[in-house]
Structures are given as structure tokens and as C-alpha cells.
Amino acid sequence: VNVPEKEDMKNLTFWVWPESLWAPISFTKTYLDEKGFDENDPEYFSLKGERVRSKSEIILMDIFDSYPVPCKYEFPLELFNGKIIHPDFTLLNVRERKEYRWEHLGRADDPSYMKYNVGRLNDLIRSGYYPGVNLILSFETSDRPLDVRVVHNLINEYLLS
């Protein structure tokens, strides 16, 4: 599939999975470049060198990379209202050829953070992304860190079944 050229990015490889919106590494990198990180953002990288926004996202990305589950970080998604958001992870259950969006709510005890994310989750639901169907959620608070056992359980339930 032809990929639009963007300034110094030419001759990109574009992967298309049949019957899926799954998209390619170079296409994702172009979107991340457009979206960008603020120059003052901390620099967090997964073991494979993927830049993420938090220590918990490093843990999640490294766990995803340990499974035979294709994963894209902050891949763009158009909502029902035309707004483009970047859910934390887009993952593929290869056997079922089914995409899932994974949102990690890492500051669930912060009222302003949760106010924003309730609106975001409502927009995802209005766009056809339902928790436990095609939307996976993980949570943590300042005194209850990410439980990797729960992450492994969710991966086994939704992405390896």
C-alpha cells in the first residue's frame, strides 16, 4: 500500500493485516513524530527502545513484548465525533484477528486525572469500544501500584484465547 511521503520520510514499509485496521511500524512512528513529546517530558524507553510516557507503560510494553501479541503504542483512533485520540496501546489477538485498545489509568486516585479519563472512556464507549469486549483497562494509585499478575491475567483472557 502506498504511504504518503512526509518531508524526510520516504519509501516507508506499510503492513496491512487482512480484515483489520492493524497498521505498520513506520506509519506509527510518523504519527508519533507528529504528536510528539514535549521537550521537557521525561524520557522513558522499553527494553526494545520504544519511547513511552511513564514507568508503568515501560512495564506494560515490556510485558506485551514478552508475548506473541503485536502491540502498537499510542496508535491513533478516530472517535464517533471525529476527534483523534491515542489510546495507550493497540493490541492484536492473532488467533481471532481481533484488535483491542488498552488504557492504563495510572493515577486513579487523582480527581482531575479521573475526571478527564471518565470523559475519555465515555467517548470510547460511544465509539464502540467496550470494557471487556474490545477495550482493556488497568489501574493503579499512589498506594496500589500496577499489579503485573493482573496484566498477565488480562493478556491471557483477551489476547491469547
Side-chain angles (χ1 to χ4, degrees), residues 79-81 83 118-128:
L79 298 176
F80 74 98
N81 57 8
K83 181 179 177 185
V118 166
R120 183 177 169 102
L121 292 172
N122 285 339
D123 285 348
L124 281 162
I125 291 167
R126 290 182 67 195
S127 299

Side-chain angles (χ1 to χ4, degrees), residues 49-62:
E50 180 85 26
R51 186 168 181 191
V52 296
R53 297 185 187 277
S54 72
K55 293 176 194 172
S56 293
E57 288 182 347
I58 292 172
I59 294 167
L60 288 165
M61 182 63 86
D62 289 343

Side-chain angles (χ1 to χ4, degrees), residues 8-115:
D8 60 344
M9 299 186 81
K10 298 178 181 176
N11 300 319
L12 301 177
T13 301
F14 189 83
W15 300 353
V16 177
W17 295 55
E19 303 176 17
S20 174
L21 297 176
W22 197 249
I25 293 168
S26 56
F27 190 68
T28 302
K29 288 184 186 295
T30 300
Y31 269 100
L32 284 177
D33 288 345
E34 287 177 2
K35 188 167 61 76
F37 288 85
D38 291 334
E39 67 181 58
N40 295 326
D41 284 349
E43 292 190 11
Y44 299 111
F45 292 90
S46 71
L47 288 173
K48 289 191 174 180
E50 180 85 26
R51 186 168 181 191
V52 296
R53 297 185 187 277
S54 72
K55 293 176 194 172
S56 293
E57 288 182 347
I58 292 172
I59 294 167
L60 288 165
M61 182 63 86
D62 289 343
I63 290 172
F64 298 147
D65 285 343
S66 74
Y67 283 94
V69 175
C71 173
K72 299 294 177 211
Y73 180 69
E74 291 192 351
F75 193 75
L77 174 67
E78 184 173 355
L79 298 176
F80 74 98
N81 57 8
K83 181 179 177 185
I84 303 292
I85 66 166
H86 298 84
D88 294 330
F89 302 96
T90 301
L91 301 125
L92 181 67
N93 178 320
V94 174
R95 190 179 64 73
E96 294 181 357
R97 311 221 29 96
K98 181 178 178 183
E99 290 182 356
Y100 289 84
R101 306 300 170 154
W102 186 305
E103 286 283 18
H104 177 67
L105 303 174
R107 296 189 339 246
D109 53 350
D110 178 341
S112 62
Y113 175 84
M114 286 309 295
K115 181 179 178 180

